[in-house]
Amino acid sequence: AIIATSAVRSVRDLKGSKVAFQAVSPSDFLLGYALARAGLSEKDVRPVNSTPEGVPGIMASGAVDAGVTYEPSVSTTLRLGGGKQFHVLLSSRDARGMITDVLAVRAATIAKDPVLVEGLIRGTLDGLAFMKAEPDRAAAVIASTLGITPGEVRAQLSNIENPPLSRLDDVFRRSDELPSFEASGKVIGAILEREGQIRALPPIDETFDARFVRALQANVGDLK
């Protein structure tokens, strides 16, 4: 989420403001999307380099007008000053699919063992089914892994979308609107190109492989 002081009421108000975020990261991607949607670019803000975890401290010091971070730092920042000092300017909830976890597999592995790739996706779906059927047990497992409480797990999960199989291909659809990778890829690609991470934006549809998800969708009755 992009968090700002009470003086900043819209993304357009960020023009000329100091913004704390980590470059070439999901924070940068969300900020880039928000600025582009408001007709601005990162040239219109004054970047202050910070990890997401460092944003609450920088915001509390008054050194910046806004910051980009994730939970639990979002909640930590919003509680500062009695909960009246800062507010969420824009969150990933307003940019569905802009920040998406993906499964990355080498092309050689796909060619050698496509059954493995299908198994990884099936395993993910099984895990999501377990979370839905046994939310308390799932929260306990996640809490143990992350070193937080089950209550914190449940609170954070309320801000995360775990799409069912029927929605897993939303990101693969050709569209200039989110959550399509066509839309998010242009924003992320522009940032990576600006930072010298890539020389040019590749064709977005060459950066993903939708066949496994779509094959499972076509044979949903085969899932066990």
Side-chain angles (χ1 to χ4, degrees), residues 3-5 20 54-67 77 80 85-86:
I3 302 170
T5 64
V55 166
I58 294 177
M59 296 285 288
S61 73
V64 298
D65 306 292
T77 307
L80 296 173
Q85 192 172 356
F86 304 110

Side-chain angles (χ1 to χ4, degrees), residues 52-131:
E53 294 81 6
V55 166
I58 294 177
M59 296 285 288
S61 73
V64 298
D65 306 292
V68 191
T69 186
Y70 45 62
E71 289 290 12
S73 295
V74 170
S75 296
T76 298
T77 307
L78 294 177
R79 285 195 296 266
L80 296 173
K84 298 179 180 180
Q85 192 172 356
F86 304 110
H87 67 106
V88 172
L89 198 61
L90 181 140
S91 79
S92 55
R93 190 186 298 276
D94 307 307
R96 180 176 180 261
M98 190 63 233
I99 299 176
T100 301
D101 286 327
V102 298
L103 175 65
V105 182
R106 293 182 184 277
T109 301
I110 294 174
K112 179 181 179 181
D113 196 353
V115 174
L116 169 67
V117 180
E118 180 183 328
L120 289 171
I121 298 173
R122 285 174 177 267
T124 298
L125 294 170
D126 285 346
L128 293 176
F130 172 72
M131 290 169 63

Side-chain angles (χ1 to χ4, degrees), residues 3 6 29 32 34 48 58 70 80 87 95 107 109 115 119 133 136 138 140 146 170 205 222:
I3 302 170
S6 56
F29 304 154
V48 175
I58 294 177
Y70 45 62
L80 296 173
H87 67 106
T109 301
V115 174
D136 292 338
L146 298 182
D170 286 0
D205 58 4
D222 185 44

